[in-house]
Amino acid sequence: MNPPTWAPGEIVVDPGSPEPLYSQVARQLRAAIEDGRLPTGARLDNEVDLASRLHLSRPTIRQAIQSLVNEGLLVRKRGVGTQVVRTKVARPLRLSSLFDDLNELGDKPETVVLINRVDPAGEDAVERLETPGLTRVRRLKRVRSTGGEPLAIMNNQLPDGIIDPDDDELRDRGLYQLLRSAGVRLHAAHQNVGARLATEEDAELLGEKPGAALLTMERTTYDDTGRVVEYGWHVYRASRYSFNLSLTNNV
């Protein structure tokens, strides 16, 4: 028996709302997945049909769907289309920064701010932050240490205007603390963990030798409306840091 095909009859968009159109569509699709109206295996209409039914452009629909693909709620399958892969959004994560983690361990974080500025948004930033029309992006680069010993190099991009921290704030507080203080409700993230060898710049900043093993992490963080609020790419000294993952059996 084929899985049901869902029609977007309940989606209503408001062109006058400050919330982007793609975000309105993604939010309502996410709600339908959460409450079971779009069960696991349900198929969405194709982008052309969805755009026609909602009187929106195909790129708007594509961006809405891609944001839910990035969250792990939808999957695109060749010959099948776009399907729901979870019955519910994973419970909201307690997203934490390295600053938060070190504080919880009782280690006083120390930060050197290398870059804190607003730059023109290039194509890479627009793609990473999933914000068509973005013209300016805040760029951050910091070295986080503990006990006087460097631990990580942290790079972040944020849409300009979400926060406007000075260097003292970045030294004294974690990025997620600053976002939460600005009223941003962090909801979920897509994260990749990997490894590479230290470049000469990495080695100088981290007190390692060129070619030393480093852990890498890329993270795209979403607020509760599905908006990307920051993209980060960081490197950690493998000799001083590890990632711990907890796995559960939900059968």
Side-chain angles (χ1 to χ4, degrees), residues 200-222:
E200 290 189 5
E201 181 186 5
D202 296 332
E204 182 177 355
L205 292 175
L206 293 175
E208 291 279 3
K209 295 181 179 180
L214 300 178
L215 296 172
T216 66
M217 188 268 282
E218 292 184 63
R219 177 187 284 179
T220 303
T221 305
Y222 301 84

Side-chain angles (χ1 to χ4, degrees), residues 10-236:
E10 297 181 16
I11 291 182
V12 177
V13 294
D14 178 7
S17 169
E19 182 183 5
L21 294 176
Y22 83 89
S23 180
Q24 295 182 48
V25 174
R27 172 170 50 79
Q28 293 176 71
L29 285 172
R30 187 184 301 108
I33 294 171
E34 288 181 345
D35 65 21
R37 283 175 291 143
L38 275 172
T40 299
R43 289 195 302 268
L44 297 188
D45 294 345
N46 63 53
E47 292 176 0
V48 174
D49 289 343
L50 282 172
S52 176
R53 294 169 81 107
L54 297 177
H55 305 290
L56 296 172
S57 69
R58 187 174 179 183
T60 296
I61 297 299
R62 182 182 301 118
Q63 188 175 4
I65 290 174
Q66 186 61 46
S67 68
L68 297 183
V69 170
N70 292 341
E71 293 180 44
L73 302 178
L74 298 175
V75 64
R76 289 188 171 103
K77 296 181 179 180
R78 184 180 298 275
V80 176
T82 303
Q83 285 186 289
V84 177
V85 292
R86 293 184 186 172
T87 55
K88 288 195 174 190
V89 177
R91 66 184 178 188
L93 301 175
R94 182 186 175 277
L95 296 173
S96 64
S97 65
L98 178 56
F99 190 99
D100 298 331
D101 297 338
L102 291 174
N103 263 336
E104 287 193 359
L105 292 172
D107 297 326
K108 181 173 175 55
E110 302 151 8
T111 304
V112 175
V113 180
L114 301 178
I115 296 174
N116 175 22
R117 66 172 185 253
V118 175
D119 289 336
E123 291 183 8
D124 287 349
V126 171
E127 182 177 354
R128 288 169 174 172
L129 297 173
E130 301 175 18
T131 310
L134 182 69
T135 59
R136 290 160 60 86
V137 61
R138 177 167 293 278
R139 183 183 173 202
L140 306 176
K141 183 173 184 178
R142 296 155 292 155
V143 175
R144 190 83 82 203
S145 303
T146 181
E149 193 170 356
L151 189 61
I153 303 169
M154 311 175 69
N155 294 276
N156 299 85
Q157 289 180 338
L158 302 86
D160 183 33
I162 291 183
I163 56 173
D164 184 23
D166 59 31
D167 287 2
D168 286 340
E169 289 177 303
L170 291 171
R171 280 188 284 265
D172 295 340
R173 304 177 69 188
L175 178 59
Y176 286 177
Q177 289 181 359
L178 294 171
L179 286 168
R180 291 186 176 105
S181 294
V184 177
R185 298 176 62 182
L186 304 176
H187 175 69
H190 180 74
Q191 180 168 293
N192 290 316
V193 176
R196 67 172 174 82
L197 302 181
T199 65
E200 290 189 5
E201 181 186 5
D202 296 332
E204 182 177 355
L205 292 175
L206 293 175
E208 291 279 3
K209 295 181 179 180
L214 300 178
L215 296 172
T216 66
M217 188 268 282
E218 292 184 63
R219 177 187 284 179
T220 303
T221 305
Y222 301 84
D223 69 6
D224 60 351
T225 70
R227 173 184 61 163
V228 176
V229 293
E230 70 96 12
Y231 171 80
W233 66 105
H234 315 315
V235 293
Y236 304 82

